[in-house]
Amino acid sequence: MSSNSSPQHDLQKEPIDAFLASANEATTPSQTRAVISQTLSHPRIHSGFLELLSLPSIQNHAPERAKNTLKLFAHGTYLDYAECPSPEGEEGRYMDLTPKQKHKLRQLSLVTLLSQSRSHRVSYADMRRYVSFDGLSSSISVSLGTFKELIILCLYNNLFMGKMDQKTESFIVGGDIISRDVILDNVSSMI
């Protein structure tokens, strides 16, 4: 075993690294779609989507809707996805997402909402709208309990910190929020 592949070295790798390596070896649209889909489904990957998108193999072989989906997970929201449904019998702007991928996109959407909020308190109603739990269609609507489970899973996964205030039906941001992929045009405003 080489010194680069020791178990200790492998533990230090980020989960995205394996998918970046697989994507570098992809030479067909179906291979790139498979790597992208697996990356989007991985429960510990919440950033690095733009890095994956920048790979020559993805740029050269991935279908446009797969590239759009990577951009969506990098800095888009569930509302962006829900507002661009695939016309019946046609391919839409984004790949069709699995339930697991939709769940992750909702989590990332909450990260975006909370990181952009000017207040440390965000109402459940605003959060529900932001992740399409209310309003767009009855097929998207879910119970308040399911919505609260989403918040709890985000807290357990350390996507953001804070507490749920049942009395005011709001979430109080109380600490760190993970970073999403950075849009290069926004770097100068961050410095």
Side-chain angles (χ1 to χ4, degrees):
M1 173 161 49
S2 75
S3 62
N4 286 345
S5 63
S6 70
Q8 184 176 10
H9 183 266
D10 289 343
L11 289 175
Q12 295 173 354
K13 285 185 175 182
E14 293 294 321
I16 189 77
D17 292 340
F19 294 102
L20 293 170
S22 293
N24 270 326
E25 297 173 8
T27 58
T28 66
S30 64
Q31 289 173 333
T32 58
R33 260 193 321 270
V35 171
I36 290 169
S37 184
Q38 292 167 1
T39 304
L40 300 178
S41 296
H42 194 285
R44 291 185 39 226
I45 297 176
H46 297 97
S47 63
F49 303 110
L50 290 182
E51 186 176 2
L52 185 61
L53 179 63
S54 72
L55 295 176
S57 57
I58 298 295
Q59 286 299 311
N60 294 331
H61 302 295
E64 198 61 35
R65 65 190 289 216
K67 294 177 196 177
N68 289 339
T69 305
L70 280 174
K71 291 176 193 171
L72 176 70
F73 274 74
H75 45 72
T77 66
Y78 193 87
L79 277 178
D80 298 329
Y81 176 74
E83 290 174 350
C84 291
S86 300
E88 195 168 319
E90 297 179 33
E91 288 190 351
R93 176 172 172 81
Y94 304 112
M95 294 170 39
D96 294 328
L97 301 180
T98 66
K100 187 184 242 184
Q101 293 165 345
K102 288 178 183 178
H103 178 77
K104 180 190 275 188
L105 186 56
R106 283 185 163 124
Q107 289 180 323
L108 293 171
S109 298
L110 287 179
V111 166
T112 297
L113 174 65
L114 296 176
S115 64
Q116 293 175 348
S117 175
R118 297 188 188 271
S119 170
H120 288 291
R121 183 180 297 269
V122 180
S123 74
Y124 288 168
D126 288 343
M127 293 173 81
R128 285 174 62 94
R129 272 192 298 279
Y130 206 73
V131 294
S132 290
F133 278 175
D134 289 332
L136 285 182
S137 78
S138 59
S139 64
I140 295 173
S141 182
V142 294
S143 72
L144 181 60
T146 303
F147 167 71
K148 288 179 182 178
E149 288 172 19
L150 175 67
I151 294 173
I152 291 167
L153 286 172
C154 289
L155 291 167
Y156 283 140
N157 289 322
N158 295 315
L159 301 183
F160 48 77
M161 297 171 137
K163 66 179 186 175
M164 299 168 70
D165 184 344
Q166 304 306 327
K167 192 174 192 176
T168 63
E169 293 195 353
S170 61
F171 183 81
I172 303 166
V173 179
D176 294 334
I177 300 172
I178 67 159
S179 298
R180 302 235 2 226
D181 288 339
V182 176
I183 304 168
L184 294 179
D185 294 343
N186 294 348
V187 170
S188 61
S189 68
M190 298 169 88
I191 299 175

mmCIF file of all heavy atoms in Angstrom, residues 5 18 31 45 50 58 62 84 121 126 128 168 178 184-186:
data_model
loop_
_atom_site.group_PDB
_atom_site.id
_atom_site.type_symbol
_atom_site.label_atom_id
_atom_site.label_comp_id
_atom_site.label_asym_id
_atom_site.label_seq_id
_atom_site.Cartn_x
_atom_site.Cartn_y
_atom_site.Cartn_z
ATOM 1 N N SER A 5 -2.210 6.251 0.246
ATOM 2 C CA SER A 5 -3.519 5.619 0.413
ATOM 3 C C SER A 5 -3.675 4.967 1.789
ATOM 4 O O SER A 5 -4.420 4.026 1.948
ATOM 5 C CB SER A 5 -3.759 4.597 -0.694
ATOM 6 O OG SER A 5 -2.799 3.574 -0.609
ATOM 7 N N ALA A 18 -13.632 11.822 -3.750
ATOM 8 C CA ALA A 18 -13.845 10.576 -4.497
ATOM 9 C C ALA A 18 -14.681 10.825 -5.751
ATOM 10 O O ALA A 18 -14.421 10.242 -6.809
ATOM 11 C CB ALA A 18 -14.524 9.537 -3.611
ATOM 12 N N GLN A 31 -21.954 8.459 -17.919
ATOM 13 C CA GLN A 31 -21.014 8.371 -16.795
ATOM 14 C C GLN A 31 -21.009 9.673 -15.988
ATOM 15 O O GLN A 31 -21.004 9.638 -14.758
ATOM 16 C CB GLN A 31 -19.598 8.069 -17.293
ATOM 17 C CG GLN A 31 -19.424 6.667 -17.814
ATOM 18 C CD GLN A 31 -18.052 6.458 -18.443
ATOM 19 O OE1 GLN A 31 -17.409 7.384 -18.937
ATOM 20 N NE2 GLN A 31 -17.610 5.209 -18.452
ATOM 21 N N ILE A 45 -22.122 15.726 1.511
ATOM 22 C CA ILE A 45 -21.608 16.722 0.570
ATOM 23 C C ILE A 45 -22.606 17.862 0.464
ATOM 24 O O ILE A 45 -23.736 17.671 0.022
ATOM 25 C CB ILE A 45 -21.333 16.097 -0.817
ATOM 26 C CG1 ILE A 45 -20.242 15.035 -0.702
ATOM 27 C CG2 ILE A 45 -20.952 17.182 -1.820
ATOM 28 C CD1 ILE A 45 -19.953 14.288 -1.984
ATOM 29 N N LEU A 50 -19.501 23.402 -7.625
ATOM 30 C CA LEU A 50 -18.878 24.196 -8.690
ATOM 31 C C LEU A 50 -17.523 23.632 -9.073
ATOM 32 O O LEU A 50 -17.120 23.704 -10.235
ATOM 33 C CB LEU A 50 -18.751 25.670 -8.278
ATOM 34 C CG LEU A 50 -20.055 26.441 -8.195
ATOM 35 C CD1 LEU A 50 -19.796 27.905 -7.814
ATOM 36 C CD2 LEU A 50 -20.837 26.375 -9.500
ATOM 37 N N ILE A 58 -16.657 17.012 -17.078
ATOM 38 C CA ILE A 58 -18.049 17.431 -16.887
ATOM 39 C C ILE A 58 -18.410 18.467 -17.950
ATOM 40 O O ILE A 58 -19.482 18.385 -18.569
ATOM 41 C CB ILE A 58 -18.266 17.993 -15.468
ATOM 42 C CG1 ILE A 58 -17.991 16.930 -14.401
ATOM 43 C CG2 ILE A 58 -19.664 18.581 -15.318
ATOM 44 C CD1 ILE A 58 -18.935 15.749 -14.391
ATOM 45 N N ALA A 62 -21.042 16.213 -19.855
ATOM 46 C CA ALA A 62 -22.311 16.245 -19.121
ATOM 47 C C ALA A 62 -23.377 16.986 -19.924
ATOM 48 O O ALA A 62 -23.095 18.016 -20.532
ATOM 49 C CB ALA A 62 -22.131 16.914 -17.762
ATOM 50 N N CYS A 84 -39.328 25.676 -12.183
ATOM 51 C CA CYS A 84 -38.963 25.249 -13.541
ATOM 52 C C CYS A 84 -39.275 23.774 -13.740
ATOM 53 O O CYS A 84 -38.372 22.971 -13.986
ATOM 54 C CB CYS A 84 -37.478 25.496 -13.793
ATOM 55 S SG CYS A 84 -37.016 27.204 -13.912
ATOM 56 N N ARG A 121 -33.947 36.013 13.698
ATOM 57 C CA ARG A 121 -35.181 35.256 13.882
ATOM 58 C C ARG A 121 -35.894 35.188 12.529
ATOM 59 O O ARG A 121 -36.186 36.207 11.922
ATOM 60 C CB ARG A 121 -36.075 35.941 14.911
ATOM 61 C CG ARG A 121 -37.354 35.188 15.221
ATOM 62 C CD ARG A 121 -38.198 35.917 16.248
ATOM 63 N NE ARG A 121 -37.544 36.046 17.542
ATOM 64 C CZ ARG A 121 -37.665 35.168 18.535
ATOM 65 N NH1 ARG A 121 -38.424 34.101 18.394
ATOM 66 N NH2 ARG A 121 -37.052 35.364 19.683
ATOM 67 N N ASP A 126 -42.008 31.864 6.634
ATOM 68 C CA ASP A 126 -41.038 32.271 5.605
ATOM 69 C C ASP A 126 -40.160 31.097 5.190
ATOM 70 O O ASP A 126 -39.877 30.906 4.010
ATOM 71 C CB ASP A 126 -40.169 33.425 6.106
ATOM 72 C CG ASP A 126 -40.913 34.739 6.197
ATOM 73 O OD1 ASP A 126 -42.008 34.858 5.586
ATOM 74 O OD2 ASP A 126 -40.412 35.659 6.880
ATOM 75 N N ARG A 128 -40.905 27.875 5.378
ATOM 76 C CA ARG A 128 -41.720 26.908 4.624
ATOM 77 C C ARG A 128 -41.903 27.354 3.175
ATOM 78 O O ARG A 128 -41.807 26.550 2.252
ATOM 79 C CB ARG A 128 -43.083 26.694 5.285
ATOM 80 C CG ARG A 128 -43.029 25.850 6.541
ATOM 81 C CD ARG A 128 -44.382 25.792 7.242
ATOM 82 N NE ARG A 128 -45.417 25.188 6.420
ATOM 83 C CZ ARG A 128 -45.760 23.909 6.460
ATOM 84 N NH1 ARG A 128 -45.153 23.097 7.283
ATOM 85 N NH2 ARG A 128 -46.707 23.445 5.694
ATOM 86 N N THR A 168 -43.244 31.371 19.206
ATOM 87 C CA THR A 168 -43.367 32.389 18.142
ATOM 88 C C THR A 168 -43.350 31.765 16.750
ATOM 89 O O THR A 168 -43.380 32.488 15.754
ATOM 90 C CB THR A 168 -42.226 33.423 18.235
ATOM 91 O OG1 THR A 168 -40.976 32.756 18.031
ATOM 92 C CG2 THR A 168 -42.244 34.135 19.573
ATOM 93 N N ILE A 178 -23.130 26.780 7.620
ATOM 94 C CA ILE A 178 -22.149 26.312 6.634
ATOM 95 C C ILE A 178 -22.151 27.236 5.430
ATOM 96 O O ILE A 178 -23.120 27.937 5.154
ATOM 97 C CB ILE A 178 -22.396 24.857 6.177
ATOM 98 C CG1 ILE A 178 -23.693 24.748 5.370
ATOM 99 C CG2 ILE A 178 -22.338 23.886 7.331
ATOM 100 C CD1 ILE A 178 -23.750 23.519 4.480
ATOM 101 N N LEU A 184 -18.354 33.327 -8.250
ATOM 102 C CA LEU A 184 -17.146 34.118 -8.454
ATOM 103 C C LEU A 184 -17.426 35.611 -8.566
ATOM 104 O O LEU A 184 -16.644 36.431 -8.101
ATOM 105 C CB LEU A 184 -16.390 33.614 -9.680
ATOM 106 C CG LEU A 184 -15.808 32.198 -9.542
ATOM 107 C CD1 LEU A 184 -15.091 31.788 -10.826
ATOM 108 C CD2 LEU A 184 -14.894 32.089 -8.345
ATOM 109 N N ASP A 185 -18.556 35.996 -9.131
ATOM 110 C CA ASP A 185 -18.890 37.415 -9.267
ATOM 111 C C ASP A 185 -19.099 38.079 -7.913
ATOM 112 O O ASP A 185 -19.022 39.292 -7.804
ATOM 113 C CB ASP A 185 -20.169 37.587 -10.108
ATOM 114 C CG ASP A 185 -19.972 37.143 -11.554
ATOM 115 O OD1 ASP A 185 -18.802 37.020 -11.978
ATOM 116 O OD2 ASP A 185 -20.968 36.907 -12.237
ATOM 117 N N ASN A 186 -19.360 37.296 -6.864
ATOM 118 C CA ASN A 186 -19.636 37.838 -5.539
ATOM 119 C C ASN A 186 -18.394 37.945 -4.652
ATOM 120 O O ASN A 186 -18.465 38.463 -3.558
ATOM 121 C CB ASN A 186 -20.676 36.986 -4.806
ATOM 122 C CG ASN A 186 -22.016 37.044 -5.473
ATOM 123 O OD1 ASN A 186 -22.267 37.874 -6.347
ATOM 124 N ND2 ASN A 186 -22.894 36.149 -5.073
#
